């Protein structure tokens, strides 16, 4: 109740919104207060905060992870990093790749636990992101969240076990595909210049996915959505946030008339066979980490498991269905015991400490963050629940997300629903670690499709419920805009 009371007070004192910054101060009565800076917010994961020196990392264990669990953490890390191979082979523990897939390992896309990378050049093949597919916007299969394409499913797999695919770079290769990859994807960028009222400018860009060599017929009227791999830091702590704390932030009818109507996604959980609160994925379409990890294994790597036991082949892909599998006696390529290790690894990834949280510019930016209303969606803090692993329980964490869906406007819309999320809605992404993403693995690409190369660009793409906040941000003096950005980069 104390946390709920605090959240309600925070919401009442603000007129704001999400990361986009700013609310129209003139339209917000009274002007929002700014809470005092506390020592707690300098350690964003509580006792699970890791040092950011000598360099930040998104793939190290929580510092308070018990010693007895560390061997399993590193075993899970090895499973997430080591490549899977085509079946059959003598390597029974790691065969079964594909037959269709996007990556050979989990960490191929989440390099060092960080963000993926959407190609910068139009002649570069998309290999660390994916293209989601679906039919019939507004309707969905109650267990999948979408209506999959009959030939391609709900995701284009751009790799296959076919030798012809592996040797496609050789001009002399005349091999026939055994199992053809579904397509190749390239990304073209359209640039534009944004001009602030004070005359300053910023370059923006938006992607256009270009699909080449479709192998299983037309995509018909399928809707597509380019997705970059999100970072993995702190996901176990987000899983530990009580559902009641998230639902307390919902305001689907905007009853407080602040222009923000966050709502939770309700998604199918194949483990419990009932609907659950969604909290992971760009549209919050996964309920917890076991389902998130298992779905990535089957869809991205083509590895069946106890939660998703079917190969990633549609009924129209006969060669895919006929290809040898790496199934064990239980009919899975990844048994429950190994899936549990990868989940344990994911659940215990640390969050780096903030950098220079008391720098005067950072503190000025913190004031701007609150006064402009970013915390309306980027909910600063939670206390994790009890009844879970001791080292994850009762931690005061600062992820800066409400884990709810928000209408982000037409410019970011993919017009593709996912469970109850509309084509204009996205889950508020956490901000912790955003300032060191590029240091972790070279990718500082933000937003679902990687279009934003900086926090500033991400803010300028906000619309919908965040339109008023964005308007206030762009009307701030340049020094205040930069201070706010510096604060976000310190989180």
């Amino acid at each position: 109740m104390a946390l709920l009371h605090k959240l309600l007070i925070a919401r009442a004192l603000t007129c704001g919104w999400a990361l986009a910054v700013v609310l129209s101060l003139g339209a917000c009565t009274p002007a929002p207060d700014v809470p005092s800076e506390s020592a707690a917010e300098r350690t964003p994961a509580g006792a699970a905060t890791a040092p950011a020196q000598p360099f930040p990392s998104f793939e190290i264990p929580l510092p308070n992870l018990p010693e007895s669990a560390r061997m399993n953490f590193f075993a899970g890390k090895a499973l997430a990093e080591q490549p899977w191979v085509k079946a059959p082979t003598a390597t029974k523990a790691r065969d079964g790749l594909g037959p269709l897939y996007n990556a050979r390992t989990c960490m191929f896309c989440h390099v060092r636990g960080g963000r993926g990378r959407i190609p910068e050049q139009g002649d570069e093949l998309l290999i660390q992101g994916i293209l989601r597919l679906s039919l019939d916007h507004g309707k969905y299969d109650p267990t999948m969240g979408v209506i999959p394409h009959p030939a391609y499913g709900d995701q284009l797999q751009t790799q296959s076990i076919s030798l012809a695919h592996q040797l496609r770079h050789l001009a002399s290769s005349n091999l026939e595909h055994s199992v053809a990859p579904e397509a190749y994807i390239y990304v073209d960028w359209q640039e534009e210049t944004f001009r602030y009222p004070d005359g300053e400018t910023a370059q923006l860009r938006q992607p256009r996915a270009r699909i080449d060599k479709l192998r299983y017929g037309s995509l018909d009227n399928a809707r597509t959505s380019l997705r970059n791999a999100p970072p993995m830091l702190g996901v176990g702590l987000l899983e530990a946030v009580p559902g009641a704390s998230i639902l307390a932030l919902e305001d689907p009818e905007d009853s407080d008339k602040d222009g923000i109507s966050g709502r939770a996604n309700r998604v199918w959980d194949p483990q419990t066979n009932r609907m659950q609160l969604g909290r992971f994925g760009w549209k919050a379409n996964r309920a917890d980490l076991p389902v998130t990890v298992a779905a990535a294994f089957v869809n991205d790597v083509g590895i069946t498991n106890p939660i998703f036991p079917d190969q990633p082949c549609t009924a129209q892909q006969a060669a895919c269905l006929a290809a040898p599998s790496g199934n064990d006696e239980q009919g899975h390529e990844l048994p429950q015991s190994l899936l549990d290790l990868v989940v344990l690894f994911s659940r215990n990834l640390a969050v780096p400490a903030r950098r220079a949280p008391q720098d005067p510019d950072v503190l000025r930016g913190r004031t701007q963050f609150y006064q402009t209303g970013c915390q309306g969606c980027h909910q600063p803090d939670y206390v994790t629940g009890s009844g879970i692993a001791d080292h994850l329980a009762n931690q005061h964490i600062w992820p800066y997300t409400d884990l709810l869906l928000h209408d982000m406007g037409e410019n970011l819309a993919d017009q593709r629903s996912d469970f109850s999320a509309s084509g204009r809605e996205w889950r508020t992404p956490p901000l912790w670690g955003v300032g060191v993403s590029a240091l972790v693995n070279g990718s500082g690409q933000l937003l679902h499709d990687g279009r934003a190369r900086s926090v500033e660009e991400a803010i300028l793409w906000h619309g919908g419920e965040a339109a008023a906040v964005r308007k206030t941000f762009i009307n701030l003096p340049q020094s205040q805009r930069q201070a706010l950005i510096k604060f976000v980069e310190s989180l």
Side-chain angles (χ1 to χ4, degrees):
M1 288 301 293
L3 174 61
L4 174 61
H5 180 66
K6 182 176 72 64
L7 297 178
L8 292 174
I9 291 175
R11 198 160 183 98
L13 291 175
T14 63
C15 181
W17 212 91
L19 175 241
V21 183
V22 191
L23 80 190
S24 172
L25 293 176
C28 184
T29 303
D33 290 342
V34 178
S36 298
E37 193 266 349
S38 69
E41 60 190 275
R42 300 170 204 161
T43 52
T49 304
Q53 302 295 334
F55 51 82
S57 174
F58 293 168
E59 62 173 355
I60 60 176
L62 301 171
N64 63 343
L65 180 68
E67 193 63 33
S68 59
R70 289 185 174 255
M71 284 188 66
N72 281 343
F73 174 90
F74 287 107
K77 182 173 186 283
L79 283 165
E81 289 181 333
Q82 294 173 8
W84 289 77
V85 299
K86 175 182 174 181
T89 72
T91 311
K92 296 300 182 186
R94 299 195 62 79
D95 68 339
L97 175 70
L100 296 170
Y101 63 95
N102 293 98
R104 288 178 177 269
T105 75
C106 304
M107 304 305 271
F108 181 84
C109 295
H110 304 278
V111 177
R112 297 177 182 169
R115 289 176 166 78
R117 176 184 170 278
I118 301 297
E120 300 283 352
Q121 305 298 326
D123 59 355
E124 186 180 352
L125 190 65
L126 175 73
I127 55 173
Q128 286 188 321
I130 61 171
L131 197 70
R132 300 295 306 275
L133 302 173
S134 58
L135 301 176
D136 299 316
H137 173 63
K139 303 175 183 177
Y140 59 87
D141 179 295
T143 63
M144 294 186 66
V146 300
I147 300 293
H149 188 282
Y152 294 97
D154 65 353
Q155 174 175 322
L156 272 184
Q157 274 110 3
T158 56
Q159 312 269 357
S160 85
I161 58 173
S162 166
L163 186 60
H165 166 68
Q166 305 298 333
L167 300 180
R168 64 192 184 281
H169 60 289
L170 299 178
S172 59
S173 174
N174 294 313
L175 296 171
E176 294 290 330
H177 281 292
S178 53
V179 180
E182 293 180 327
Y184 295 138
I185 301 171
Y186 302 87
V187 178
D188 299 317
W189 296 96
Q190 181 177 345
E191 297 266 354
E192 61 184 278
T193 300
F194 174 80
R195 187 173 298 279
Y196 287 95
D198 62 10
E200 291 288 325
T201 61
Q203 287 301 118
L204 301 178
R205 64 176 187 173
Q206 53 183 316
R208 291 287 182 270
R210 176 162 42 88
I211 303 170
D212 188 31
K213 293 184 170 54
L214 275 170
R215 300 285 186 175
Y216 300 90
S218 167
L219 283 178
D220 305 313
N221 296 315
R223 298 181 186 277
T224 63
S225 184
L226 181 64
R227 304 291 178 84
N228 196 17
M232 299 173 64
L233 74 163
V235 292
L237 292 162
L238 295 178
E239 187 184 48
V241 173
S245 299
I246 299 169
L247 296 177
L249 298 170
E250 278 195 294
D251 185 16
E253 303 302 324
D254 191 21
S255 57
D256 60 4
K257 305 301 180 187
D258 66 352
I260 302 170
S261 55
R263 63 192 184 93
N265 204 352
R266 269 74 173 182
V267 304
W268 182 254
D269 183 346
Q271 298 177 109
T272 60
N273 288 326
R274 62 188 180 94
M275 302 300 285
Q276 304 276 18
L277 167 68
R279 66 175 77 200
F280 294 111
W282 288 108
K283 287 184 182 273
N285 67 341
R286 302 296 182 197
D288 59 23
L289 288 178
V291 174
T292 303
V293 172
F297 262 112
V298 75
N299 293 322
D300 300 346
V301 194
I303 298 299
T304 62
N305 54 74
I307 299 178
F308 296 101
D310 298 323
Q311 294 287 351
C313 315
T314 69
Q316 299 184 26
Q317 296 172 335
C320 182
L321 291 168
S325 76
N327 285 356
D328 59 15
E329 293 179 351
Q330 284 71 47
H332 310 132
E333 291 165 334
L334 182 72
Q336 185 69 53
S337 58
L338 300 187
L339 174 62
D340 289 344
L341 288 174
V342 182
V343 171
L344 183 145
F345 160 68
S346 305
R347 183 172 282 148
N348 290 289
L349 289 166
V351 177
R354 291 184 57 194
R355 285 72 54 204
Q358 293 187 291
D359 177 281
D361 287 340
V362 170
L363 292 175
R364 280 192 290 273
R366 180 181 179 279
T367 297
Q368 289 299 325
F369 183 89
Y370 281 95
Q371 288 187 336
T372 52
C374 305
Q375 77 283 13
C377 292
H378 287 279
Q379 166 62 34
D381 63 326
Y382 300 90
V383 175
T384 59
S386 56
I388 54 178
D390 289 347
H391 65 286
L392 293 171
N394 302 311
Q395 297 293 332
H396 191 179
I397 65 171
W398 298 76
Y400 292 85
T401 172
D402 60 8
L403 297 171
L404 296 177
L405 300 170
H406 295 276
D407 180 345
M408 293 299 292
E410 190 64 23
N411 285 335
L412 287 178
D414 65 356
Q415 310 301 342
R416 181 179 177 280
S417 59
D418 202 331
F419 289 103
S420 61
S422 77
R424 292 169 59 100
E425 289 181 313
W426 300 95
R427 186 201 68 161
T428 308
L431 296 182
W432 53 15
V434 69
V436 295
S437 284
L439 294 176
V440 166
N441 67 5
S443 177
Q445 297 179 346
L446 306 177
L447 300 178
H448 65 279
D449 54 14
R451 70 177 64 192
R453 293 160 289 192
S454 65
V455 171
E456 179 185 28
E457 286 186 47
I459 293 171
L460 293 175
W461 278 111
H462 282 56
E465 297 174 42
V469 172
R470 175 183 179 275
K471 180 179 179 181
T472 308
F473 173 75
I474 66 176
N475 282 290
L476 288 174
Q478 194 265 355
S479 61
Q480 293 182 19
R481 295 196 302 266
Q482 291 305 312
L484 189 153
I485 291 168
K486 190 168 184 177
F487 168 70
V488 172
E489 291 176 341
S490 79
L491 297 175

